[in-house]
Structure formats: structure tokens, C-alpha cells
């Protein structure tokens, strides 16, 4: 049985100069550049696919591209699996069209709905992907993005994922 988890991780570019007009604000409305990592990992925390997007891109738009990007995963004897049994996401990925598309692909969506209480026991399952985030953050080059070129940054992300595995 293959379960995958998806989430996002923000990595901003450091800015020079003062603190800016909104010191201490967590919002990205000050015109700073930034990027977001959307990883998908298996039930043990091994990252299968990571997509880097701009910081202002909605998480919902990346769900299907993450699922489509899962490489073949060897497990039991026979053909390697390309489709997980279930997809566990946080509220940022809540969307009825995505749920329907996942069900068409025979993937069980386990996604908390916005405005509803969290699914009981989801924290224990989400811990796996949060631990993967912590492992990605140990590489300072990913926590603070210094590269302007996306290809170069994605190469560092791939290297970090291979070291984690």
C-alpha cells in the first residue's frame, strides 16, 4: 500500500537594507521575491517529487502535477507502482475538482476541508511530511534561496532529495 503526502514550504530570497515598511510581518505583500516548494513523499518520508513555484501561486494548482510526477516506486514483485492508494494533504490543497480528479484516478483523497475541524489522527500522518521539510531545511541553500535561475535551484532540490533518501 502506497500513501503519499503533499505539502508546501516557503523559501524566500534574502533582501538587503532595512527591515522594510512592515517589519515583523509574515505577509509577502512588500514586493519581495520568494518561492515555494511543493514536495510529495511516501509514507516513510522519502521525497518522490518536488515542484518549485513562485510564492504567490496557490497550492491547489499543484496537486495534480505532483501526483502525475510520481516516479515508478518498486515494492512488491511485479511492475513498479505509479499510483498511490491515498493522498494526504493539508487544507491548502482543498478543492472539489481536485478531489473528483483524484477519485477518477482511483486515489483516495484524504484532505481536510477549509472551515471544518481537522481530521482526527491527521497530525500523526502529517508529521512525516513535516519531518521531510525539516530535512530539506537543513540545507541552507534551500531554506534561503540565493539562485535566480530555477533550473539551478531545482538541481539543488534534487540533490537534497537524493541525500535524504
Amino acid at each position: 500500500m502506497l500513501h503519499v503526502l503533499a505539502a508546501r514550504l516557503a523559501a524566500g530570497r534574502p533582501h538587503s537594507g532595512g527591515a522594510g515598511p512592515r517589519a515583523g510581518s509574515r505577509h509577502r505583500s512588500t514586493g519581495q521575491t520568494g518561492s515555494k516548494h511543493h514536495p510529495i513523499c511516501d509514507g516513510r518520508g522519502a521525497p518522490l517529487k518536488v515542484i518549485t513555484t513562485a510564492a504567490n501561486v496557490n497550492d491547489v494548482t499543484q496537486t495534480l502535477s505532483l501526483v502525475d510526477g510520481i516516479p515508478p516506486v518498486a515494492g512488491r514483485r511485479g511492475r513498479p507502482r505509479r499510483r498511490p492508494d491515498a493522498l494526504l494533504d493539508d487544507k491548502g490543497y482543498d478543492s472539489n475538482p481536485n478531489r473528483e480528479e483524484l477519485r477518477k484516478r482511483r486515489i483516495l483523497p484524504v484532505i481536510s476541508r477549509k472551515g471544518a475541524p481537522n481530521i482526527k489522527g491527521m497530525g500523526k500522518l502529517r508529521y512525516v511530511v513535516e519531518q521531510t521539510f525539516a530535512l530539506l531545511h537543513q540545507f541552507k541553500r534551500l531554506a534561503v534561496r540565493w539562485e535566480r535561475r530555477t533550473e539551478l535551484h531545482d538541481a539543488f532540490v534534487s540533490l537534497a532529495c537524493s541525500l535524504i533518501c
Side-chain angles (χ1 to χ4, degrees):
M1 183 184 298
L2 177 67
H3 296 285
V4 294
L5 305 141
R8 73 241 181 266
L9 170 73
R13 278 185 62 83
H15 63 283
S16 60
R22 299 179 68 189
S25 175
R26 295 179 63 183
H27 300 289
R28 289 255 169 225
S29 62
T30 59
Q32 297 175 2
T33 59
S35 61
K36 206 185 296 186
H37 299 125
H38 302 269
I40 191 163
C41 62
D42 66 358
R44 296 185 197 132
L48 301 173
K49 173 82 174 164
V50 178
I51 296 176
T52 304
T53 61
N56 59 353
V57 173
N58 284 336
D59 300 333
V60 171
T61 61
Q62 302 305 313
T63 304
L64 298 178
S65 58
L66 280 171
V67 171
D68 292 338
I70 296 175
V73 178
R76 299 182 190 155
R77 290 183 5 194
R79 190 175 71 217
R81 295 189 53 133
R82 294 192 64 92
R83 180 184 53 85
D85 293 327
L87 178 71
L88 294 98
D89 277 337
D90 58 359
K91 292 182 181 186
Y93 292 88
D94 181 29
S95 165
N96 286 333
N98 281 346
R99 288 176 191 271
E100 292 171 11
E101 191 63 34
L102 289 170
R103 286 188 185 108
K104 284 181 189 175
R105 298 173 187 197
R106 296 180 297 159
I107 299 172
L108 175 67
V110 183
I111 305 170
S112 298
R113 294 207 182 262
K114 292 181 181 177
N118 290 335
I119 299 172
K120 186 175 180 180
M122 187 73 148
K124 291 180 182 178
L125 301 172
R126 296 272 319 141
Y127 175 78
V128 175
V129 75
E130 297 300 331
Q131 185 66 30
T132 304
F133 278 141
L135 291 173
L136 280 174
H137 259 233
Q138 79 179 3
F139 302 101
K140 300 296 183 196
R141 202 133 192 172
L142 301 181
V144 177
R145 182 173 170 179
W146 294 93
E147 297 82 22
R148 288 182 176 263
R149 293 177 44 202
T150 306
E151 307 88 36
L152 188 60
H153 184 72
D154 286 343
F156 283 122
V157 170
S158 297
L159 180 63
C161 290
S162 64
L163 290 173
I164 290 171
C165 288

